[in-house]
Amino acid sequence: MAYQVAERVVQLRPSPTLAVSDRVRTLREQGLDVIDLGGGDPDFPTPEHICRAAAEAMLRGETHYVASAGIPALRRAIARKLREDNAIEVDPAEIIVTPGGKAALFVSILALVGPGDDILMFDPGWVSYEPMVTIAGARCLHVPLDPAENYRISREAIESRLTPATRLMIVNSPNNPTGRVLSEAELAAIAEVAQERDLLVISDEIYEKIVYDGHRHHSLAALPGMAERTLTVNGFSKAYAMTGWRLGYVAGPAPLIKQIMKVHSHSATCATSFAQWGAVAALEGPQDFIGQMVSAWDRRRRLITERLNQIPGFRCPLPEGAFYAFPDVSGTGLSGQEVAARLIDEAHVGVTPGDAFGEVSAGCVRLSFAESDDKIEAALDRIARIFGG
């Protein structure tokens, strides 16, 4: 039988980060000791008070459908968080709770753009932005950022890629994979172009709590003139070590949220009911454990950066945020793909090749330091054995 599949799906690449994890699992099933630095899953457990809140919700019968946009208590808590942490004023009715931050991005893109539309994104950028745009039938415009300038975003770089069909920009800070935290000047440049060209913006702020060395996260929607054109996407996976809970949200202007809600309600129906009560506890409970996790990641980023820079052919800047190191490995004479292949095959260390995040970073690899100190040390020892240092 000849199976027919939609061409827009045939052309998609499977998620490169998940492909690394799948390869790691396959090798482990063969009995090999493989260290996975390819993903982005915090090695810390979800705090007990969050787990307890979800368990108690299940026990009292919160195991059925809830409002598609999310339970009122959680939307109120998110609105309060956005006001206090991000200086963003939204009504709880302008928030949709989704099964993960990825779902929030996906339903937003599907609702906002379609065939004939151009969407601008910055390279290097997260692996799933372009596939989402492709599934929506739109086209991605890539803005290549120069590593020699620390991947700085400028007005000139944005304007050089715009077309009359450009409708939307996707912005991510702190950035996956580079770890860059956008400065106020960079955000101002994005805001100026968005307002002058009447563009919508999706601001992916999933790593907002994970910043170092005095860097501060600033939300685009808080800038003058940006609230009416910005969708803020966030979630609970990274800051609260809740990756498996699959909880995210999108907040923005009511006319946009109304349309996004149609896509969400026809796809996910609602995010998991009892998990949402855990998220309420996450936002309303103690926050000190976030600082404890960030302190551990701070220590690990310094370790991994120092060790990688001792390896011939590796050049690794110190990340400003998130929990990824993104070394340029072109000095080895190999591409990022070739280095990643050698590391998984010979060192049994899983990393993500840089071209997964854009052509500009084909000479890089991404390593997650959201792993234990012992595993990071062991992985670095293995990498050094293969490449020296």
Side-chain angles (χ1 to χ4, degrees), residues 40-54 74 97-101 206 210 235-249 272-284 286-287 289-290 293 297 323:
D41 193 348
D43 63 307
F44 298 95
T46 304
E48 182 183 352
H49 69 279
I50 298 174
C51 296
R52 188 185 314 115
L74 180 53
V97 179
T98 58
I206 193 71
I210 309 170
F236 298 85
S237 292
K238 312 302 183 181
Y240 296 95
M242 295 172 63
T243 50
W245 294 62
R246 309 315 302 135
L247 284 174
Y249 58 87
T272 302
S273 54
F274 49 85
Q276 293 189 51
W277 285 103
V280 173
L283 292 177
E284 296 185 344
Q287 306 291 303
F289 65 89
I290 298 176
M293 290 194 299
W297 291 327
F323 40 59

Side-chain angles (χ1 to χ4, degrees), residues 45 86 116 164 183 188 223 246 291 296 343:
N86 307 92
S183 67
L223 273 60
R246 309 315 302 135
L343 289 180

